[in-house]
Amino acid sequence: MSQSNSLAVSSGHLAPGTALRRAPFRHLKEKLIEFVLLGAALVAVFTTIAITVVLVYESLGFFEFVSLWDFLTGTVWTPLFAEPNYGVLPLISGTLTVTAIALAVAVPMGTTIAIYLSEFAPHSVREVVKPLLELIQAVPTIVFGYFALLFVTPLLQDTIMPGLAGFNMLAAGLVIGIATVPTIASLSEDAMRAVPMSVREGAYALGAHKLGVAWKIVMPSAISGVIAAYVLAAARAIGETMIVAIAAGQNAVFTFNPTEGAATLTAFIAQVSLGDLPHGSVGYRSIFACGLVLLVMTLVLNVIGHVLRRRYREAY
Amino acid sequence: MVTETSSPVFPGGATEPVVPPVAKAQVHDLNFFYGELRALKGISIPIYKHLVTALIGPSGCGKSTFLRCFNRMHDLYPNTRYDGRIVLMPDNVNILHREVDPIEVRMRIGMVFQKPNPFPKSIFENVAYGLRVRGIRNRAVLTDKVEEALRGAALWDEVKDRLAELAFNLSGGQQQRLCIARALATDPEILLFDEPTSALDPIATASIEELIADLRSKVTILIVTHNMQQAARVSDYTAYMYLGELIEFDRTQTIFVKPKKKQTEDYITGRFG
């Protein structure tokens, strides 16, 4: 309303001074909008800060009973036993093993799919395949968990690995890999499609083949976005809970052998949160220490991703 | 078709000794379609060897479309169709023919684009890319060729100590000369320029124009420009196009001094366009 009013003034009365008079209501409205938007942004920031504060605070309570050194170097994790041990390495080894398997599946598969969709697929195929691919992300992870436990593990036992344990990190990692393929494929494809056509034309004009252009020109041009996709996928794999809790078992063993079952940081947190330990006990507080370790791991990943992105960033 | 027997006119009006121009390529009744849209309408001109041919005309007249037929760039996009012939000499082969591999065509006809489009690689690797595509792996050969191409593009002195640097660190004019070096490295027979200076400042433009004049001795050049002074400065022959049709093709001096068609004259003198 104030807008149309001031417009009428500026076009109707040409006397200097009146045309450029202040529009206090519009100013107020702009301020209000800015305030609301800022508030929305701050919710996310404050949530992150609050989580960090709670994790650190509760962990401090835990470290009153267990030394940081024992926690980080101990290889036995038995908080539920009568004589508990709080060495977190078994959970870390489980998390890293599962994540490594998942990335070994998701990175090559996701990248290949992204290159195909971005550089080779006709428009009609891409329009169908990409939404379908993204639909995988809509599958609840508990479904994936049972898929790993009741389909992938028996399949591996029946075919190439007869001695495979019922709970094992291999099946869990493979399935997490499949679950994260869409993250990598979709984000990498976006990054590749954002590479200007003029760069591809430059390569084609020199006589390059399609695969050469995709691999030697488009891929390096899109590398910062592709790395961001990898980091996000790694963070998802580290944080994945349901699939590992169901398919890898909950037995914390210090091992990097994928054919064995092992608990991960998240699987342990889920287990304890379900009520196996009394509230306020040392064991209960250990989940906050685990949460802190998870937070640090994802933070490190993000920093690595940030550094890589900066190093390989291409500006157009 | 123009059968010009008198000597070609060089920029500045200097006349070379009588050497009748030899056709490097002959365009016969070329039509081009974007889907149903006929973007080029029956164009026939010769492209003379070791001379510069300029394509001028208002925006949307089809000059870039015409240029991009020469290296089959349109093959990259769906729903495009060529009709007619571009016969490359001395092979006497129609490069638009369905059975001619566009990659083979691009191996022999290079291109420099409107906006500098360096690859996300080092200066050295940018120039070496075309050679690597051709299977050259020998480091010594690559080093020699890259230096030769960078010298040919008048860029060597500026970059010889920073060959490992990312090409994006170069200025716009340097990037465009790098793209010219990249195209030169593969010894093309024809070099296509698609408004190569439209993204550059006047000083960089002058250096590119000088370069084009120098390159003529080595390679046949076809240049699209909407800067008429540029066409007058750098070219030996000029084709004026309008709405997909060739209006007039002649020696540049004739086109700019005494065009035969009223339409060409109106465009040249700025009454239209």
Side-chain angles (χ1 to χ4, degrees), chain A residues 197-210 212-213 216-217 220-221 313-316, chain B residues 68 71 73 76-77 103 106-107 109 111 113 117 119-121 129-130 133-134 166 168 182-183 186:
Chain A
M197 199 57 205
S198 68
V199 178
R200 290 186 185 83
E201 285 188 348
Y204 282 120
L206 286 165
H209 286 82
K210 227 169 180 180
V213 173
K216 295 275 179 59
I217 301 295
S221 301
R313 189 179 56 178
E314 315 303 350
Y316 289 107
Chain B
R68 290 161 69 90
N71 64 346
M73 224 49 189
L76 299 178
Y77 301 92
I103 287 173
R106 293 173 199 145
M107 289 283 187
I109 300 180
M111 183 164 184
F113 295 80
N117 55 352
F119 303 138
K121 297 174 184 296
Y129 182 79
V133 164
R134 283 155 182 76
L166 206 60
F168 295 122
R182 192 169 76 183
T186 58

Side-chain angles (χ1 to χ4, degrees), chain B residues 24-261:
Chain B
K24 175 65 197 166
Q26 183 73 51
V27 183
H28 291 289
D29 194 24
L30 175 64
N31 294 283
F32 181 78
F33 299 85
Y34 290 110
E36 293 299 305
L37 180 79
R38 191 172 168 212
L40 297 177
K41 299 167 184 168
I43 294 176
S44 300
I45 56 168
I47 306 298
Y48 290 125
K49 193 174 179 179
H50 289 186
L51 292 180
V52 178
T53 303
L55 302 169
I56 61 169
S59 297
C61 72
K63 52 194 192 298
S64 284
T65 302
F66 179 58
L67 189 80
R68 290 161 69 90
C69 290
F70 280 81
N71 64 346
R72 300 271 299 266
M73 224 49 189
H74 299 297
D75 289 36
L76 299 178
Y77 301 92
N79 288 322
T80 54
R81 187 162 63 84
Y82 310 91
D83 175 45
R85 289 181 295 150
I86 297 178
V87 178
L88 187 65
M89 297 300 182
D91 312 55
N92 205 14
V93 167
N94 171 22
I95 56 175
L96 297 180
H97 195 278
R98 219 176 279 275
E99 279 166 25
V100 172
D101 184 356
I103 287 173
E104 291 300 319
V105 175
R106 293 173 199 145
M107 289 283 187
R108 294 174 54 178
I109 300 180
M111 183 164 184
V112 175
F113 295 80
Q114 194 167 350
K115 247 182 77 186
N117 55 352
F119 303 138
K121 297 174 184 296
S122 69
I123 293 170
F124 182 92
E125 283 305 325
N126 260 276
V127 182
Y129 182 79
L131 302 166
R132 291 195 187 278
V133 164
R134 283 155 182 76
I136 298 171
R137 294 280 175 274
N138 185 319
R139 190 76 200 174
V141 175
L142 286 174
T143 310
D144 285 353
K145 277 286 197 182
V146 167
E147 178 175 345
E148 190 190 324
L150 284 169
R151 282 187 192 281
L155 190 60
W156 175 252
D157 291 334
E158 289 158 62
V159 302
K160 63 182 176 207
D161 299 321
R162 46 195 288 212
L163 291 175
E165 254 180 64
L166 206 60
F168 295 122
N169 294 342
L170 297 173
S171 74
Q174 288 174 324
Q175 286 189 15
Q176 194 62 308
R177 275 181 283 151
L178 180 72
C179 292
I180 294 174
R182 192 169 76 183
L184 282 177
T186 58
D187 297 320
E189 294 163 36
I190 301 178
L191 201 45
L192 310 170
F193 286 87
D194 189 358
E195 298 187 19
T197 60
S198 62
L200 303 181
D201 64 63
I203 293 171
T205 299
S207 76
I208 301 278
E209 285 182 8
E210 206 175 303
L211 185 56
I212 290 171
D214 290 345
L215 288 176
R216 184 172 34 202
S217 59
K218 284 183 253 172
V219 57
T220 303
I221 291 172
L222 197 54
I223 178 171
V224 164
T225 174
H226 56 207
N227 176 341
M228 281 179 288
Q229 284 71 39
Q230 183 168 71
R233 282 192 298 264
V234 304
S235 72
D236 305 296
Y237 279 80
T238 296
Y240 170 60
M241 292 175 63
Y242 181 63
L243 294 180
E245 281 177 84
L246 177 73
I247 305 299
E248 192 167 348
F249 173 76
D250 211 326
R251 293 191 308 177
T252 298
Q253 203 181 38
T254 312
I255 289 274
F256 279 88
V257 176
K258 219 172 54 186
K260 292 188 184 67
K261 298 253 175 72

Side-chain angles (χ1 to χ4, degrees), chain A residues 147-292:
Chain A
F147 175 68
L149 180 67
L150 302 177
F151 178 75
V152 176
T153 297
L155 186 72
L156 289 171
Q157 285 168 334
D158 290 348
T159 53
I160 48 174
M161 306 180 98
L164 191 64
F167 291 120
N168 63 81
M169 295 190 281
L170 183 60
L174 291 176
V175 171
I176 292 175
I178 292 167
T180 37
V181 159
T183 307
I184 292 182
S186 182
L187 291 177
S188 304
E189 198 252 8
D190 289 343
M192 289 175 193
R193 296 251 287 156
V195 174
M197 199 57 205
S198 68
V199 178
R200 290 186 185 83
E201 285 188 348
Y204 282 120
L206 286 165
H209 286 82
K210 227 169 180 180
L211 191 62
V213 173
W215 192 245
K216 295 275 179 59
I217 301 295
V218 175
M219 183 73 180
S221 301
I223 197 72
S224 70
V226 173
I227 288 175
Y230 292 169
V231 170
L232 194 68
R236 263 205 72 181
I238 288 177
E240 176 48 50
T241 309
M242 268 309 160
I243 300 175
V244 279
I246 292 167
Q250 313 215 325
N251 195 10
V253 190
F254 182 53
T255 176
F256 289 98
N257 180 356
T259 60
E260 290 180 40
T264 63
L265 288 159
T266 50
F268 171 72
I269 294 172
Q271 182 190 7
V272 172
S273 309
L274 293 176
D276 278 359
L277 284 169
H279 192 276
S281 67
V282 180
Y284 177 80
R285 284 194 167 145
S286 70
I287 68 174
F288 292 97
C290 289
L292 198 61

